[in-house]
Structure formats: C-alpha cells, structure tokens
Amino acid sequence: KNQLIDAVFHSSSGGRTENSGQVWKYQLPYLKSVIDYDQNGPKYRWTNKFNSGELDKIFPDLGVLKSIQIINKSNTDRVLKIKLYGTNLNRNISGKSLREKLKLLSTKFEVDLKFEEIKFDNKFNIDNKVFNDIAPQPLPEIPKDYFLLVRGYGAGHGVGMSQWGAKAMAERGSSFRKILKHYYTGVQIKTY
C-alpha cells in the first residue's frame, strides 16, 4: 500500500517461518508463514541438556522439577505455553519465557525429562538351579540426578526473512527480488 514494511529477519526458522501475530501483538499481511530453505544452516537443528543442579538454579521456587508439559504450540510448532510441575508448586510460562531462562536458540523445540543412565552389572549366575529358586533381585534405586533434554530447530523469532534460507535461495540462483517476495508476502519492490 505504498508504505515501507518492517523488514524483520532472523537467522534460521527451522523449516517454516512464523506468522507475526504468533510472536508479536499484530498480524501484518506481509509477515505470513512460508516454507524456509534453511536446512543446511548450522542452527537448523540443535540440542541442549540441563542437569538437575542447573534447573534448580534457574527455577529455585519450583523445588525439584517433576515434569514438564508443552500445553500450546503455534501452527509452525513453536511453543506458546508450557507447564512446569515442581515439588513445591506448578507454573505455566510462555515458550518465549522458557527460551529466555534456558537461553535456547528459538521457541521451536520439544522437551524430555530424563533420568541419568544407571550402570550396574546385569549378570546372573544360575548354576543349573531351577529358575524359581533364584531370590528376586531388588530394582536399582531411582536416581536423584535427572536432566532436561531440549531438541530444537532454528535460531531467532522465526518471523520475516530467514538469513540461512535466503542464502540457500541465492545459491540456487534466485534473484534478490524473488527472495524478498518469498519472505515478505504480497510486497512490491520499488523506489521509495
């Protein structure tokens, strides 16, 4: 409409850019979700691991983190709301807030709470005895140490032009006009 756009950009979307209305207050007509070509970027896929001690420092009021649940995601799989279950209290926080607290690259992630692997000797000496004669072995204690595994995609808010996607399009021969029109829906490129 003969106005300058807010040409926002980010490093890598993780396969699909995000609608502006999912990240910020307003949905702008030219900042719509589109396919991204960032699969060869260095931050397309990433993993972070946080141990129980680190999580205790990040969320001191929760007590021990018992569980974590993603409650709501955007259409492009970015976390909007997450619930943390602690021994002291439960709390709902935004995906953006969790990204900031854990210093994650984006809000496009999955979470998994895991216990550290237990290493023990699993050999039984049967010595030709009848199986029923073997006393049942106690199960190993559940470890107090656990970790949160976060598997994510992309880097940044995911709205507008993806730098790694634009690079891939340029390397395949797309003009700057084609790249800009791909990431900024319905725009005109002209002298202002």
Side-chain angles (χ1 to χ4, degrees), residues 139-176:
L139 291 173
E141 286 184 28
I142 295 173
K144 292 184 176 77
D145 289 336
Y146 61 91
F147 64 91
L148 178 67
L149 187 64
V150 184
R151 293 184 193 95
Y153 294 87
H157 49 64
V159 179
M161 186 174 67
S162 157
Q163 292 170 310
W164 283 100
K167 180 181 187 294
M169 288 180 73
E171 287 171 347
R172 284 185 265 188
S174 295
S175 68
F176 79 90

Side-chain angles (χ1 to χ4, degrees), residues 56-160:
D56 289 347
K57 288 177 186 168
I58 295 167
F59 304 107
D61 55 337
L62 284 180
V64 175
L65 185 64
K66 296 187 300 185
S67 184
I68 187 166
Q69 176 187 14
I70 294 173
I71 296 173
N72 195 7
K73 284 188 168 188
S74 73
N75 292 339
T76 65
D77 258 358
R78 284 177 176 76
V79 175
L80 300 174
K81 191 181 279 187
I82 199 158
K83 186 161 191 166
L84 304 170
Y85 297 86
T87 52
N88 292 347
L89 57 92
N90 301 335
R91 176 186 294 144
N92 288 338
I93 63 170
S94 69
K96 186 178 175 183
S97 177
L98 189 71
R99 176 189 175 197
E100 290 167 1
K101 286 182 179 296
L102 299 181
K103 296 177 176 57
L104 303 175
L105 292 175
S106 75
T107 57
K108 190 171 188 174
F109 58 79
E110 292 292 333
V111 291
D112 200 2
L113 203 56
K114 293 185 174 283
F115 292 104
E116 295 286 354
E117 289 182 19
I118 304 163
K119 292 178 176 68
F120 60 95
D121 189 6
N122 199 14
K123 295 175 186 167
F124 294 99
N125 294 323
I126 297 179
D127 295 327
N128 296 326
K129 290 183 181 178
V130 179
F131 184 75
N132 291 341
D133 289 346
I134 299 173
Q137 297 294 315
L139 291 173
E141 286 184 28
I142 295 173
K144 292 184 176 77
D145 289 336
Y146 61 91
F147 64 91
L148 178 67
L149 187 64
V150 184
R151 293 184 193 95
Y153 294 87
H157 49 64
V159 179

Side-chain angles (χ1 to χ4, degrees), residues 11-12 38-47 105 154-155 164 167:
S11 174
S12 170
D38 62 334
Q39 291 78 8
N40 293 326
K43 295 174 184 169
Y44 175 74
R45 183 178 287 129
W46 48 267
T47 304
L105 292 175
W164 283 100
K167 180 181 187 294

